[in-house]
Amino acid sequence: MAERLKKNYFEVLGLCCSSEVPLVERILNSLDGVEEISVIVPTKTVIVVHDTRRISETKIVEALNKARLEATVRPEGKMKSQKKWPAPSVMASGLLLALSFLGYIYYPLQSLAVAAVIFGVPAILVRSVASIKSLTLNINVLVLMAAVGTLALGDYVEAGSIVFLFSISQWLESVASYKAMAAMSSLTSMAPQKAIIAETGEQVDVNTVKVNTILAVRAGEVIPIDGIVVEGKCEVDEKTLTGESFPVVKEQDSPVWAGTINLDGYISIKTTALAKDCVVSRMAALVEESHKKKSRAQTFIESFAKYYIPAVLLISVAFAVIPAAVGVPNVRHWLYLAIVVLVSTCPCALILSTPVVIFCALSKAATTGLLVKGGNYLETLAKVKMVAFDKTGTVTRGEFTVTDFQSICDDVSLGTLLYWVSSIESKSSHPMAAALVDYARSLAIEPVPENVEDFQNFPGEGIFGKIHGNEIYIGNRRIGPRTGCSKDSIVEAKCTGGKTRGYVYLGATPVGTFSLSDSCRSGALEAIKDLKSLGIKSFILTGDSHAAALYAQDQLDHAFDMVYAELLPQHKAELVELLKKDGTTAMVGDGINDAPALAAADIGISMGISGSALAMETGHVILMSNDIRKIPKAIKLARNASTKLIQNVTLSVTVKGSVLALAIAGYPLVWAAVLTDVGTCLIVILNSMLLLKNNPEEEGGFSKSKYGTFSLSCKKDEAKEALNVKNCRSRCCEATSAKDMASTSLHSQTGPNPCCLSSSSCGKDRSTSSTGSQVENKRVARGGKAKKCGDQCCDIEAGITT
């Protein structure tokens, strides 16, 4: 049954605003075989899922066009060219209306305005009849009533003006929306529909290509399916997918993504997914879904419009009927006033004010490698006051290097230990796992994951697996108690330079230790400073060690307001709940460990391609690249969208209110009412489309930020620190930063078992928190105090001593 269902896209140029959506839905719901309908008003697009055996796309187009909705099928991956000229009937109506103005010189020529109405009104009439038949009211009904009313009053030029201005506005709106249509089309059709089999050179449909097929991709071609390079080397333009401005070098074993462009070489790739499961396909689906989801403001305005249009109609009828019924003099004035009320209070511009802004903002975000899953999340993003970051793979590169690996048990050789660890770690998706596997291979030890049984993952602690009957635990120091190892036997080791320390247990016996190093991402410092410039506080929430967390903080010039270390996933979620009490909070993460915190945050931002599938599913915003500088840009975009929304609503209400006020004051100008209706709709669309403009600072692929284009210096600037040093002792001096002295209410609360570090300096490269509540190792911060350690404080820095 699923194979018979097909999704088709239709361009429906007759869609004016959301008030006409019920008409479209009623027409399509009456058709046998239509399973699902969604309407995207800003791009005048209708998406229909239908049973091809019961109804074809041609029949759907015919049904829509019976209501003169100007529907056409949009071919997959393509978009129709922009209409350069209005319909002939509209141009004829305009010409006749222009000639009718000569009636002020020669009166009989005013009758040409009637001909202008006759040429322009058929489309309005048919849509009005269809709307009334479906028991809905929209702008077409209001315009038709206004035209009929002015004709009845004998004011032919006014009637012609109403019909022509409304008809031409439909064309102008379609022209203004064309760029928005192009933006959506480019996002939903990035991947090609054909692929070339490397062995035969045969061109095939991408939907027929299976996993592990070898495909050929020549220079200048778009990569058709996600895969891994098995032969060749090239540079790939990933801008369409990730927003990354610079080409990325791809060589053997490098991952490549569908929809990206091979710039300068020949490569063979082995597919790792079906076409429907590629990242670009999932991205297109998310973009489409995001446009279907309405923001709270949009939902409110559209609900309001359902009652507003009938109310306006009743008020207009009352202005026309009541004065005539009670015998008020100058009834003609009241009839004109009724028509002006009918036209000037048309809610099209108001209804368009929200969806057009949301659509343009979502499309702009998607083209820069940010997927926002709906208008609601865009509204929330604009209100963010706190941003919490995971460390590994988010703030840092997540590209670990093994700096030390040793066996601490005489009965287990280093080679055996590496074989166990690499075999079990090859089943894990954690960034550290790949480093350990690569380290083993560098020593000619090949992992054999098939020999691993009962693999288990313990978020925030480590992993477990059985190999040749041996029960092996690998993880951080928290894995010790899980092994059944007595507290006195748990391995503790010193580490320096912010390295991440790991432990290996054979059953309850410690048999090995290792350490790995990581570095901060280029652009991380700029991202945090940009957030500060927006008045947003930033935090690190990490499950990594105290020392590793401080090392990252030190690399970034202590830019974070607070650092929380040694957190389990549930503790991250609890801290996010605490942060939410002080303002709207975003969480940025990339792994399974971050999923609870992403879900708990007001808005979760997940690292898409590099992150886990669970993080991508849980997040409300997906960052398709690893450049976290896009996070402050996303917040700026959301705030700009919020500003545009306010501007549009204000414009819609004030301009039309002015015309209505003039009418009530004794100047009922029907042509002015029509002109303001058309004009406000156009201005609302054009104002919203300013969000689609490229940032001049990013043109040409270079960031002209004052912080630099490439890697940023991670050197510490001692001059920036404001420390109040007190009670110096022989080994360590206690210091508290001025900023920490005035910490928020959050900082004064006891955390859920983390190591919490202030933004204060901590010796040359290190620091430790002061004693807090009575939890594990007594490392929960109170009041943001920290110790500035001397050269003899390595034990404290490593987070080993209590």
Side-chain angles (χ1 to χ4, degrees):
M1 177 64 183
E3 293 180 358
R4 287 184 286 171
L5 295 180
K6 183 180 180 182
K7 180 188 285 186
N8 274 107
Y9 295 79
F10 301 87
E11 288 180 11
V12 185
L13 298 180
L15 267 176
C16 173
C17 63
S18 300
S19 65
E20 291 177 319
V21 171
L23 170 61
V24 173
E25 291 176 341
R26 285 179 188 271
I27 291 172
L28 296 179
N29 283 326
S30 66
L31 302 177
D32 182 41
V34 172
E35 301 289 334
E36 186 181 328
I37 305 161
S38 55
V39 183
I40 303 175
V41 175
T43 57
K44 302 181 183 292
T45 301
V46 177
I47 305 169
V48 181
V49 177
H50 60 102
D51 188 336
T52 54
R53 296 189 183 184
R54 291 155 64 193
I55 189 168
S56 66
E57 52 260 42
T58 306
K59 294 290 184 184
I60 295 172
V61 169
E62 289 175 359
L64 291 170
N65 284 339
K66 284 180 181 177
R68 296 296 291 270
L69 288 170
E70 300 179 56
T72 55
V73 180
R74 181 192 298 165
E76 190 172 6
K78 297 180 181 178
M79 192 180 74
K80 287 183 172 290
S81 59
Q82 181 179 351
K83 277 190 174 183
K84 292 185 178 180
W85 301 100
S89 60
V90 175
M91 290 193 288
S93 176
L95 179 61
L96 291 168
L97 178 63
L99 292 173
S100 71
F101 283 109
L102 295 175
Y104 293 106
I105 300 172
Y106 181 60
Y107 184 75
L109 288 176
Q110 286 196 3
S111 60
L112 290 174
V114 177
V117 173
I118 293 170
F119 272 93
V121 84
I124 301 171
L125 179 61
V126 173
R127 289 178 200 163
S128 298
V129 171
S131 176
I132 293 168
K133 281 183 178 179
S134 63
L135 302 178
T136 60
L137 288 174
N138 58 33
I139 181 60
N140 291 284
V141 176
L142 299 185
V143 169
L144 182 64
M145 291 180 66
V148 170
T150 48
L151 281 174
L153 291 171
D155 197 336
Y156 305 135
V157 175
E158 290 276 18
S161 299
I162 292 171
V163 170
F164 171 70
L165 288 173
F166 178 73
S167 299
I168 200 69
S169 74
Q170 302 291 292
W171 173 74
L172 289 171
E173 283 179 26
S174 68
V175 171
S177 301
Y178 183 80
K179 186 174 181 180
M181 291 186 199
M184 181 180 177
S185 179
S186 66
L187 291 170
T188 55
S189 58
M190 287 192 292
Q193 300 303 306
K194 299 292 182 181
I196 298 174
I197 305 297
E199 187 176 357
T200 63
E202 179 187 4
Q203 190 176 71
V204 297
D205 189 292
V206 290
N207 295 309
T208 64
V209 177
K210 297 180 180 179
V211 177
N212 293 327
T213 302
I214 306 298
L215 301 178
V217 185
R218 295 184 290 262
E221 292 182 343
V222 179
I223 294 168
I225 300 179
D226 292 355
I228 296 174
V229 177
V230 294
E231 182 185 351
K233 182 178 179 179
C234 70
E235 288 189 331
V236 172
D237 181 359
E238 296 183 344
K239 187 174 183 179
T240 53
L241 188 63
T242 67
E244 174 59 53
S245 300
F246 299 98
V248 180
V249 175
K250 301 291 181 179
E251 49 194 3
Q252 191 167 349
D253 295 330
S254 296
V256 291
W257 317 104
T260 58
I261 303 169
N262 177 3
L263 294 177
D264 60 2
Y266 176 91
I267 56 171
S268 296
I269 65 170
K270 181 170 71 174
T271 60
T272 56
L274 299 175
K276 64 178 181 179
D277 298 323
C278 289
V279 169
V280 68
S281 299
R282 286 185 286 145
M283 176 180 173
L286 285 169
V287 169
E288 190 176 294
E289 285 299 317
S290 70
H291 290 310
K292 293 178 187 177
K293 294 178 182 177
K294 297 176 181 177
S295 66
R296 288 181 288 271
Q298 183 179 350
T299 302
F300 170 76
I301 289 174
E302 289 183 5
S303 300
F304 171 71
K306 289 179 183 177
Y307 305 99
Y308 176 79
I309 294 177
V312 165
L313 188 59
L314 289 174
I315 293 170
S316 181
V317 170
F319 273 121
V321 173
I322 294 175
V326 299
V328 173
N330 196 6
V331 173
R332 187 182 181 87
H333 167 79
W334 288 100
L335 291 174
Y336 267 108
L337 180 58
I339 293 170
V340 171
V341 169
L342 197 64
V343 177
S344 64
T345 53
C346 169
C348 271
L350 182 63
I351 295 173
L352 277 174
S353 61
T354 305
V356 176
V357 167
I358 298 296
F359 177 86
C360 290
L362 293 178
S363 297
K364 176 62 177 177
T367 56
T368 56
L370 276 161
L371 296 185
V372 185
K373 291 185 178 180
N376 268 354
Y377 304 125
L378 196 68
E379 289 181 352
T380 305
L381 196 60
K383 301 173 185 175
V384 165
K385 298 296 181 186
M386 313 266 187
V387 180
F389 291 85
D390 171 50
K391 182 182 76 70
T392 304
T394 303
V395 174
T396 63
R397 296 179 182 277
E399 298 171 358
F400 288 91
T401 302
V402 177
T403 58
D404 177 56
F405 195 105
Q406 56 184 312
S407 172
I408 58 172
C409 178
D410 294 337
D411 297 332
V412 180
S413 69
L414 182 62
T416 300
L417 190 64
L418 275 170
Y419 167 69
W420 289 346
V421 170
S422 62
S423 296
I424 296 171
E425 288 286 0
S426 62
K427 286 181 167 286
S428 173
S429 61
H430 195 280
M432 295 183 190
L436 290 166
V437 171
D438 289 343
Y439 181 74
R441 284 177 173 157
S442 71
L443 298 177
I445 297 173
E446 189 65 28
V448 186
E450 306 87 64
N451 293 339
V452 178
E453 301 174 348
D454 193 23
F455 176 81
Q456 296 177 49
N457 179 47
F458 306 114
E461 297 179 13
I463 58 176
F464 166 82
K466 288 183 181 179
I467 182 165
H468 303 312
N470 299 302
E471 295 185 348
I472 307 298
Y473 292 85
I474 309 164
N476 57 34
R477 63 180 188 78
R478 284 195 295 271
I479 200 75
R482 185 176 290 278
T483 68
C485 180
S486 65
K487 188 173 181 180
D488 294 337
S489 302
I490 292 177
V491 178
E492 295 287 7
K494 297 180 182 181
C495 62
T496 58
K499 296 183 179 66
T500 297
R501 197 71 184 175
Y503 308 93
V504 185
Y505 290 81
L506 172 59
T509 305
V511 294
T513 64
F514 57 88
S515 59
L516 307 98
S517 63
D518 193 10
S519 60
C520 62
R521 290 191 183 279
S522 60
L525 178 60
E526 182 180 347
I528 304 309
K529 291 193 174 183
D530 282 350
L531 289 174
K532 285 186 182 294
S533 71
L534 295 172
I536 297 171
K537 293 182 178 180
S538 56
F539 305 83
I540 283 183
L541 310 183
T542 179
D544 213 336
S545 70
H546 186 167
L550 274 178
Y551 185 67
Q553 169 77 322
D554 191 59
Q555 280 185 303
L556 298 174
D557 286 346
H558 300 269
F560 287 96
D561 292 280
M562 188 67 72
V563 176
Y564 295 87
E566 301 186 8
L567 298 170
L568 292 173
Q570 62 267 31
H571 296 153
K572 288 185 181 181
E574 290 169 14
L575 276 169
V576 166
E577 291 291 349
L578 287 175
L579 288 171
K580 285 166 65 176
K581 293 179 181 179
D582 289 343
T584 304
T585 301
M587 172 69 195
V588 187
D590 72 320
I592 293 173
N593 295 352
D594 303 316
L598 289 169
D602 294 302
I603 184 121
I605 303 173
S606 60
M607 310 284 277
I609 291 179
S610 64
S612 71
L614 181 59
M616 191 171 179
E617 185 67 27
T618 308
H620 308 119
V621 178
I622 300 172
L623 186 64
M624 296 303 291
S625 70
N626 295 326
D627 188 356
I628 61 174
R629 286 174 294 186
K630 291 182 180 178
I631 294 170
K633 290 177 183 177
I635 295 172
K636 288 176 187 176
L637 177 64
R639 291 183 178 181
N640 286 341
S642 181
T643 302
K644 293 292 182 190
L645 176 58
I646 294 169
Q647 290 172 351
N648 287 351
V649 171
T650 303
L651 179 73
S652 303
V653 173
T654 54
V655 172
K656 293 197 169 191
S658 300
V659 173
L660 190 59
L662 280 173
I664 294 171
Y667 303 96
L669 306 173
V670 178
W671 64 267
V674 176
L675 190 62
T676 53
D677 180 64
V678 174
T680 49
C681 284
L682 289 174
I683 292 171
V684 159
I685 292 172
L686 295 172
N687 185 45
S688 302
M689 285 174 61
L690 291 175
L691 293 170
L692 294 172
K693 288 183 65 178
N694 290 327
N695 186 339
E697 292 185 356
E698 296 174 357
E699 289 181 358
F702 296 95
S703 172
K704 298 180 182 177
S705 166
K706 61 184 178 182
Y707 299 108
T709 302
F710 299 101
S711 298
L712 298 172
S713 173
C714 290
K715 292 181 180 179
K716 184 177 177 183
D717 186 359
E718 299 284 357
K720 292 182 180 178
E721 296 175 7
L723 296 174
N724 300 325
V725 181
K726 33 185 178 175
N727 301 328
C728 247
R729 297 171 187 171
S730 58
R731 291 180 62 189
C732 295
C733 295
E734 181 175 298
T736 306
S737 75
K739 185 172 185 179
D740 295 336
M741 295 282 287
S743 58
T744 62
S745 60
L746 168 69
H747 304 159
S748 64
Q749 298 185 35
T750 298
N753 195 22
C755 217
C756 173
L757 313 167
S758 76
S759 60
S760 307
S761 169
C762 195
K764 208 167 186 181
D765 288 307
R766 48 188 85 91
S767 173
T768 183
S769 62
S770 62
T771 303
S773 60
Q774 301 300 315
V775 295
E776 180 187 359
N777 289 342
K778 301 179 181 179
R779 282 189 294 242
V780 181
R782 288 181 181 274
K785 293 183 179 180
K787 289 185 178 179
K788 183 175 182 181
C789 305
D791 292 339
Q792 306 300 318
C793 294
C794 294
D795 289 352
I796 298 176
E797 179 222 0
I800 296 167
T801 60
T802 59

